[in-house]
Amino acid sequence: GIASVRSRVANLKEYLVDEDNHSFSVKDGVLFNADQTMLYAYPQGKVVNRYTIPETVKEIAYGAFHSATIDTLVLPSSLEVNGITNYDYFKNCKIKAIEIKNNPYFETVDGVLYNKAKDELVYWPSEKVVTNLTFPSTLTSMSFNSYSIPCLEQVTTLTIPRDCEDFLIYED
């Protein structure tokens, strides 16, 4: 089965799936494929301090966290390299921090998601606000706008890392 939820369903607190449905499943009100290797949709009205994605999940559907409100999102160590590719996967969501441990493809630093080598920014949580913007010294290229790093208007100091060779801040 394929599921996509990209419209605003602001009051939805949980998904339910008929027990005879063989395409979808639910855990803690969150919609998955039957074997829970793909997370399809997190309910937009479900507000939590911390949500841990099950270790069975290898991929997150584009827009799965559309308009979600989660303080800390914990990604599974099983998440594959193509399981999430950029900040669009968390469009319009309110997340303060991302965590991931023991994953061969991704790493987090101070609640921000990078590729494993930490030379590429994957996702800056929309609710993470800083005035002193710093990145790992391993970041080699910086290209972002206020969409990819929402707190840019509050930044008073930006430190360019040691190994950075390309630097670009562009308009939305």
Side-chain angles (χ1 to χ4, degrees), residues 2-125:
I2 296 175
S4 179
V5 180
R6 293 198 188 121
S7 74
R8 192 130 169 84
V9 190
N11 295 318
L12 184 66
K13 302 221 184 297
E14 69 177 328
Y15 289 93
L16 299 174
V17 173
D18 186 285
E19 61 186 43
D20 292 328
N21 185 300
H22 300 292
S23 297
F24 302 103
S25 66
V26 169
K27 182 173 184 178
D28 299 325
V30 179
L31 184 64
F32 298 88
N33 65 349
D35 61 2
Q36 295 191 355
T37 56
M38 166 78 89
L39 188 154
Y40 282 126
Y42 183 91
Q44 295 172 14
K46 180 180 178 131
V47 178
V48 296
N49 291 329
R50 183 179 191 85
Y51 176 67
T52 301
I53 298 174
E55 282 297 322
T56 55
V57 173
K58 296 178 180 181
E59 191 173 354
I60 298 170
Y62 178 83
F65 289 92
H66 180 79
S67 298
T69 301
I70 304 167
D71 285 348
T72 302
L73 178 63
V74 182
L75 301 176
S77 60
S78 57
L79 190 64
E80 294 180 350
V81 69
N82 63 346
I84 179 173
T85 54
N86 62 40
Y87 56 86
D88 282 339
Y89 277 70
F90 302 102
K91 194 171 191 171
N92 299 324
C93 67
K94 295 178 181 177
I95 296 176
K96 292 181 182 175
I98 297 276
E99 292 179 8
I100 193 166
K101 290 185 173 87
N102 303 319
N103 183 281
Y105 309 108
F106 301 102
E107 190 75 35
T108 55
V109 177
D110 296 327
V112 177
L113 185 64
Y114 296 90
N115 66 348
K116 188 65 171 185
K118 294 184 274 188
D119 58 2
E120 180 183 328
L121 173 68
V122 177
Y123 175 67
W124 183 281

